[in-house]
């Protein structure tokens, strides 16, 4: 048994909270480490990382193979989504629009407008270029009209920037669009004065902000970034009833000597809300449970998706707080591909011919409708793009008041295949052997590829398991992690039917999945952090329902980390070592 001592990073946040309390101020919410999780893949036909159909089934329902981005806004009771370059019926350079009536995140299904052939109808704005990389970044509904900000005038691979953003309007619920005016524009390739190429929009009542906004009544707040992933966020404001009048735009230009906001008619006067020249895609929204304006964007330093919050639209904004770190929060190797140029294989999924292309987490777009909880513990939901696979997922992170420091002790143990807690359909579909100093279970037994069966076990029902680590080799049979549900039957005669019922969620939700590379020599490293899940209701299963070539899997004995704390930081050191790898 390996007992280790560590100092949790949440301890610093706890000390900071005490300092705020002593001063009589309310501290900004922080990320509760280990809580970020993928809820579902929103686009594509099949979630290839879990081998289950997506709820939206976009290939069969809209001829969409994959896409990215996914900023959203409310319109006439519907949640509307704007997606970027969309692979499918129209090649890869057109952009798509979808909506959903889902009241909750688990029911989120996308509906795309389609033509008579079942192909998605792309967003079309006459008069502007809409090629690859030229995409919609944010939208808002005012009255019966939709308004979106669309980036255009791609400046080329050398610059890798959009040169202009356009405000466009739809009067028929997104079916047709017309350009209204340029929101922000480069000057001969110079973007130093263009601060709103990417934009996030939200409507608010000016009366709620003590006269700090430049216009009375309902106004639209516009947070923006300029040079792509090389700029800091800015803020603009325009009356809702005059959103089609560019001359009504006012730009936050900093604070005066009394601490009151100053506003300017000139975009060049726009002041940075925070000094962080990494911002490209961004979202901002009022999150009611924490009563804060909340901003998300992807960052290279600190690495990951970061959050800033403010009690007022102009700030002061809190320091950057990472709410999703691709190594620490089970991204890489679970739904984000790890390049095979890394000697240690981490997954067996990637887009065609992109085995050496790193995934990257970007485009975190908040969905305020789904936020719930309170100031102590609030769950925020956002779309997130992964690049490889080229899809959009729905993600969730928990934020709120700093939690008490967790106890420092963790314990390692082994889920031995020989113990009585494993339940199995039979004893003859697998064998156990020593290899490389480890015990391995393989479903390549007496009947070889034709062997079929399942074995599974609950993880500790006290919720103490925080991580699993093991290796898989071989073929396409699977190891899975399931959340919730009941016992998996061991008297099933038809393994394929049992496999299908597991994937349908009849015995819990499949939240993690691993299989081999059709290679008995190269292991795939599997690391599953369990803190985002209901740890008292998790089970691990190995199932072989295949009888075709490579219809088996080998699994090493599973190493389990246990701890009594709800928010462990077990993977912090490993994440730091891996932090330079991957893409954003």
């Amino acid at each position: 048994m390996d007992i280790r001592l560590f100092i949790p990073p949440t301890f610093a946040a706890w000390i900071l909270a005490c300092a705020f309390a002593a001063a009589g101020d309310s501290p900004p919410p922080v990320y509760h480490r280990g809580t970020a999780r993928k809820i579902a893949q929103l686009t594509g036909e099949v979630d290839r990382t879990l081998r289950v159909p997506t709820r939206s089934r976009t290939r069969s329902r809209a001829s969409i193979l994959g896409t990215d981005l996914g900023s959203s806004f409310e319109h006439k009771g519907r949640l509307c989504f704007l997606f970027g370059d969309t692979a499918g019926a129209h090649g890869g350079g057109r952009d798509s629009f979808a909506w959903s009536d889902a009241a909750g995140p688990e029911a989120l299904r996308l509906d795309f407008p389609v033509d008579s052939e079942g192909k998605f109808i792309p967003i079309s704005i006459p008069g502007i270029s809409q090629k690859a990389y030229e995409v919609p970044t944010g939208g808002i509904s005012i009255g019966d009209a939709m308004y979106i900000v669309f980036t255009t005038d791609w400046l080329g691979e050398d610059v890798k920037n959009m040169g202009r953003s356009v405000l466009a309007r739809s009067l028929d619920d997104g079916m047709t669009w017309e350009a209204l005016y340029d929101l922000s524009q480069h000057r001969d390739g110079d973007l130093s004065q263009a601060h709103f190429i990417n934009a996030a929009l939200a409507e608010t009542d000016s009366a709620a902000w003590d006269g700090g906004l430049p216009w009375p009544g309902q106004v639209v707040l516009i947070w923006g970034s300029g040079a792509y992933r090389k700029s800091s966020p800015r803020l603009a404001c325009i009356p809702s009833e005059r959103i089609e009048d560019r001359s009504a735009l006012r730009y936050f230009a900093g604070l005066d000597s009394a601490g009151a906001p100053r506003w300017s008619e000139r975009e060049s006067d726009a002041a940075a809300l925070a000094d962080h020249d990494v911002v490209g895609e961004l979202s901002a929204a009022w999150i009611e449970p924490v009563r804060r304006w909340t901003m998300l964007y992807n960052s290279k330093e600190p690495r990951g998706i970061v959050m800033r919050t403010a009690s007022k639209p102009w700030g002061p904004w809190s320091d950057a707080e990472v709410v999703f770190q691709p190594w620490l929060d089970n991204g890489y190797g679970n739904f984000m591909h790890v390049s095979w140029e890394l000697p240690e294989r981490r997954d067996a999924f990637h887009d065609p011919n992109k085995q050496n292309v790193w995934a990257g987490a970007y485009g975190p777009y908040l969905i305020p409708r789904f936020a719930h909880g309170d100031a102590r513990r609030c769950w925020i939901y956002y779309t997130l793009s992964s690049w490889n696979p080229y899809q959009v997922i729905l993600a969730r992170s928990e934020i709120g008041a700093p939690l008490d420091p967790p106890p420092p002790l963790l314990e390692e143990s082994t889920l031995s295949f020989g113990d009585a807690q494993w339940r199995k359909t039979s004893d003859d579909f697998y064998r156990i052997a020593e290899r490389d100093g480890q015990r391995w279970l393989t479903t390549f037994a007496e009947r070889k590829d034709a062997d079929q069966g399942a074995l599974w076990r609950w993880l500790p029902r006290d919720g103490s398991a925080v991580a699993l680590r093991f290796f898989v080799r071989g073929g396409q049979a699977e190891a899975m992690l399931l959340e919730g549900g009941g016992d998996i039957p061991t008297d099933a005669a038809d393994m394929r039917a049992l496999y299908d019922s597991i994937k349908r969620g009849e015995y819990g939700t499949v939240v993690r999945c691993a299989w081999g590379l059709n290679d008995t020599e190269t292991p795939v490293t599997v690391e599953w952090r369990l803190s985002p899940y209901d740890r008292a209701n998790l089970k691990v299963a190995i199932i072989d329902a295949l009888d075709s070539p490579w219809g088996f899997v080998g699994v090493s004995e599973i190493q389990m980390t246990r701890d009594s704390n709800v928010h462990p930081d077990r993977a912090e050191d490993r994440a730091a070592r891996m932090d330079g790898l991957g893409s954003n």
Side-chain angles (χ1 to χ4, degrees), residues 300-498:
K300 59 185 177 183
E301 183 58 44
R303 173 70 177 283
I305 303 303
V306 301
M307 171 186 73
R308 293 181 186 269
T309 65
S311 58
K312 297 177 181 178
W314 56 87
W317 288 82
S318 64
D319 291 339
E321 176 90 12
V322 176
V323 296
F324 173 79
Q325 206 276 2
W327 284 109
L328 186 61
D329 289 313
N330 258 345
Y332 278 126
N334 289 291
F335 63 87
M336 298 172 61
H337 177 62
V338 175
S339 169
W340 285 6
E341 291 179 337
L342 190 70
E344 182 183 31
R345 293 284 190 269
R346 306 286 296 191
D347 61 70
F349 58 82
H350 54 78
D351 284 338
N353 302 315
K354 291 189 176 181
Q355 59 268 30
N356 293 331
V357 176
W358 283 91
Y362 65 101
Y365 293 105
L366 284 160
I367 307 177
R369 171 190 289 205
F370 295 154
H372 64 276
D374 53 34
R376 182 174 181 271
R377 298 182 71 174
C378 170
W379 287 265
I380 58 171
Y381 292 80
Y382 48 96
T383 56
L384 187 65
S385 301
S386 56
W387 191 249
N388 188 15
Y390 186 62
Q391 302 292 353
V392 178
I393 71 161
L394 177 65
R396 184 185 80 185
S397 297
E398 182 183 300
I399 64 173
L403 300 175
D404 293 337
L409 296 179
L410 294 172
E411 177 182 305
E412 303 284 351
S413 60
T414 300
L415 302 182
S416 174
F417 291 126
D419 71 40
Q421 296 188 58
W422 287 97
R423 309 180 197 183
K424 49 202 173 186
T425 54
S426 71
D427 290 313
D428 59 2
F429 79 95
Y430 68 91
R431 59 186 175 87
I432 297 174
E434 292 280 340
R435 182 170 183 179
D436 300 331
Q438 290 182 302
R439 297 181 76 226
W440 284 73
L441 179 148
T442 177
T443 63
F444 193 82
E446 185 174 338
R447 298 174 60 218
K448 301 182 179 179
D449 283 316
D451 286 304
Q452 294 184 345
L455 71 161
W456 69 276
R457 58 160 291 165
W458 288 103
L459 297 183
R461 303 307 294 270
D462 60 5
S464 62
V466 299
L468 302 179
R469 179 179 170 86
F470 58 99
F471 302 91
V472 297
R473 278 190 175 105
Q476 299 299 300
E478 299 171 33
M480 308 176 197
L481 180 70
L482 292 89
E483 180 182 34
D487 291 355
I488 298 174
T490 55
D491 58 353
D494 185 337
M495 283 301 109
R496 186 68 210 189
L498 176 62

Side-chain angles (χ1 to χ4, degrees), residues 12 30 83 85 92 150 159 172 198 230 261 311 335 371 530 536 548 570:
V30 299
F83 293 101
D85 297 339
F150 199 97
V159 181
D172 55 7
N198 279 268
K230 296 179 182 178
S311 58
F335 63 87
L530 310 179
S548 55
R570 182 75 173 95

Side-chain angles (χ1 to χ4, degrees), residues 245-259:
D245 176 8
R246 192 185 188 285
S247 69
L249 278 167
R250 297 294 182 268
Y251 302 92
F252 173 68
L255 303 175
D256 64 19
S257 59

Side-chain angles (χ1 to χ4, degrees), residues 7-307:
I7 299 175
T10 48
F11 186 69
W14 179 72
I15 293 174
L16 183 62
C18 293
F20 271 106
D25 296 326
S26 174
V30 299
Y31 171 56
H32 294 164
R33 288 181 178 271
T35 62
R37 66 175 288 183
K38 167 187 168 183
I39 300 299
Q41 182 178 306
L42 295 181
T43 58
E45 188 75 7
V46 174
D47 182 337
R48 287 186 288 113
T49 69
L50 296 179
R51 291 178 161 177
V52 297
T54 65
R55 183 179 292 273
S56 300
R57 300 194 180 193
T58 62
R59 185 186 65 190
S60 58
R61 297 177 62 241
S63 294
I64 290 174
L65 302 178
T67 188
D68 69 350
L69 306 183
S71 65
S72 65
F73 60 97
E74 301 278 350
H75 178 70
K76 297 181 180 179
R78 280 181 161 175
L79 189 58
C80 299
F81 291 85
L82 303 169
F83 293 101
D85 297 339
T86 300
H90 304 281
R94 301 306 302 274
D95 310 293
S96 54
F97 167 80
W99 62 82
S100 177
D101 295 317
E106 288 76 14
L108 182 57
R109 188 185 83 158
L110 302 174
D111 292 304
F112 292 80
V114 296
D115 61 19
S116 60
E117 297 180 345
K119 299 176 181 179
F120 78 93
I121 299 173
I123 297 172
S124 180
I125 305 174
I128 69 169
S129 173
Q130 291 182 259
K131 299 177 183 177
Y133 305 116
E134 298 169 337
V135 296
T137 65
I140 196 167
S141 172
I142 298 177
D144 290 330
M146 290 179 174
Y147 298 89
I148 64 172
V149 174
F150 199 97
T151 65
T152 186
D153 295 356
W154 170 245
L155 298 177
E157 288 292 336
D158 292 339
V159 181
K160 293 187 177 179
N161 265 300
M162 302 303 130
R164 179 167 58 117
S165 61
V166 173
L167 185 72
R169 179 186 67 185
S170 174
L171 298 175
D172 55 7
D173 301 330
M175 296 301 100
T176 61
W177 297 88
E178 61 178 320
L180 298 178
Y181 56 76
D182 293 342
L183 178 64
S184 197
Q185 187 173 13
H186 74 97
R187 297 180 180 178
D188 298 323
D190 179 11
L191 288 162
S192 61
Q193 306 300 315
H195 302 305
F196 295 86
I197 301 298
N198 279 268
L201 298 84
E203 191 175 28
T204 189
D205 186 346
S206 186
W209 309 109
D210 302 324
L213 295 177
W215 300 103
Q218 292 295 114
V219 297
V220 175
L221 301 170
I222 307 173
W223 292 269
S225 65
Y228 187 58
R229 299 183 182 177
K230 296 179 182 178
S231 60
S232 295
R234 264 82 171 176
L235 174 66
C237 180
I238 192 169
S240 299
E241 63 184 8
R242 295 180 63 189
I243 191 172
E244 298 182 14
D245 176 8
R246 192 185 188 285
S247 69
L249 278 167
R250 297 294 182 268
Y251 302 92
F252 173 68
L255 303 175
D256 64 19
S257 59
R262 295 186 298 110
W263 298 88
S264 171
E265 297 180 2
R266 297 183 298 272
E267 184 178 358
S268 59
D269 290 337
L273 303 178
D275 183 13
H276 202 192
D277 288 342
V278 300
V279 184
E281 300 91 347
L282 79 163
S283 63
W286 178 258
I287 301 299
E288 180 60 28
V290 295
R291 297 198 57 77
R292 290 261 177 167
W293 292 103
T294 301
M295 180 186 298
L296 297 184
Y297 55 89
N298 37 290
S299 167
K300 59 185 177 183
E301 183 58 44
R303 173 70 177 283
I305 303 303
V306 301
M307 171 186 73

